[in-house]
Every structure is written in structure tokens, then in C-alpha cells.
Amino acid sequence: MLAKADWFGRLLENLFLSALLLGMIGLGVTQIGLRWSGVGSLVWADEAVRLMVLWIAMVAGIAAARENRHIAIDVLSRFLQPRPKLIAAVLVELFTSLVCLALAWYGWLMVQFAIEGGDVLLADLPAWIFQAIIPVAFLLMAYRYFLWFLRRLLELTAKAAA
């Protein structure tokens, strides 16, 4: 059942990323076509494309955390023996999870400021609706990196017991 839930979550993430990317490309092409034809352009489209870039970046970050495939500078792993390498991985996963939690907290504060300030985007829509992806995405990334931390910790303790 967990495997099916994981598969379904991956499917939703991938479909959402694809829809955002196709929407962004379609909107950009529409803008180019409208400007080229001399008709003008959609007033809200440039702002919408910028928001789509934000959402794509955050959802792609969630997907990268799912696979533990974020960009990493991994110099130590080339020089460490297997056990110290695993210890370093445990610490890195925990640190990454904590950093994502901090970013989620500050993203939530930003959303609260947008709510309190009555910020608007796209011609009178509340800005917090679009900004909410930031704390949500970082919270999901923190969760996934915490799971990676637990996996590595279990691996470390299993190797220590063996």
C-alpha cells in the first residue's frame, strides 16, 4: 500500500510539474505571438510566467528531495572510508532537514506578512496564495530529508550491530 501511495505521489508531482511547464511555455508563446502580430499582449502574463517559474522551482525541489538528488558538493565521500562516509551522510541529511525547516518557517512568516499587508498579484488576487508554495515546499523537503536521515541512521546502526 505504501508503494502505491509513493507511486501516486510521484505521478501527481510529475503531472503538476509538466502542467506548469507546459502552461508557462504556452503563455510565453502566446505573448510572443500577440506581440508579433501587433495585437498587443496579455497584461497579466509576464507576472504569471514569473510565478510559474517560482512554482516550478519549488515543486522540482520537492521532486529532487524525493530522490535525494539535489546539487551537492561531495568532496569528502571520495576520501572517506565507508563508515565515516555514512556518518557524514547522516549528519548532512539532518542538517539539510533542519535548514529546510528554517526556510519553511521564514517562508511562512513571509506569507503572513503578505496576508497582513493585503499584497495582491495578477490584478487583485491575494499574493499569499501564490507565495504559499514556499513554506509548503520547504516543509515537504524537510520531511523528505528527515526520512533520508532516518534511512541512513538505520543503515549506520545496522552496520554497527553487524
Side-chain angles (χ1 to χ4, degrees), residues 65 68 70 88-105 135 137-151:
N68 200 13
H70 274 281
V90 166
L91 294 174
V92 166
E93 304 299 354
L94 179 61
F95 180 74
T96 304
S97 181
L98 293 173
V99 168
C100 287
L101 272 177
L103 290 169
W105 172 254
F138 278 116
L139 190 61
L140 286 171
M141 284 187 252
Y143 167 74
R144 288 203 167 148
Y145 275 104
F146 188 73
L147 290 179
W148 281 109
F149 160 73
L150 291 177
R151 286 183 191 119

Side-chain angles (χ1 to χ4, degrees), residues 6-152:
D6 184 47
W7 175 85
F8 186 69
R10 290 170 188 259
L11 178 68
L12 285 178
E13 285 173 0
N14 293 338
L15 286 174
F16 191 57
L17 270 173
S18 299
L20 279 172
L21 185 59
L22 287 173
M24 187 175 71
I25 291 169
L27 197 53
V29 168
T30 301
Q31 282 290 88
I32 291 169
L34 288 172
R35 289 178 182 160
W36 181 75
S37 67
V39 174
S41 66
L42 303 171
V43 177
W44 51 268
D46 292 334
E47 189 174 25
V49 168
R50 284 193 298 272
L51 291 169
M52 287 178 175
V53 168
L54 169 68
W55 276 67
I56 286 172
M58 299 311 294
V59 175
I62 296 167
R66 168 187 74 204
E67 303 291 332
N68 200 13
R69 299 189 73 175
H70 274 281
I71 297 172
I73 301 172
D74 201 12
V75 177
L76 289 178
S77 69
R78 295 181 185 199
F79 302 109
L80 293 176
Q81 296 298 318
R83 182 163 169 76
K85 183 178 177 179
L86 190 54
I87 291 170
V90 166
L91 294 174
V92 166
E93 304 299 354
L94 179 61
F95 180 74
T96 304
S97 181
L98 293 173
V99 168
C100 287
L101 272 177
L103 290 169
W105 172 254
Y106 287 109
W108 172 246
L109 291 178
M110 181 189 72
V111 168
Q112 284 182 321
F113 290 142
I115 292 170
E116 290 169 7
D119 299 347
V120 293
L121 293 170
L122 297 177
D124 286 344
L125 292 175
W128 70 267
I129 293 171
F130 303 103
Q131 296 168 347
I133 187 65
I134 295 169
V136 169
F138 278 116
L139 190 61
L140 286 171
M141 284 187 252
Y143 167 74
R144 288 203 167 148
Y145 275 104
F146 188 73
L147 290 179
W148 281 109
F149 160 73
L150 291 177
R151 286 183 191 119
R152 301 270 170 102

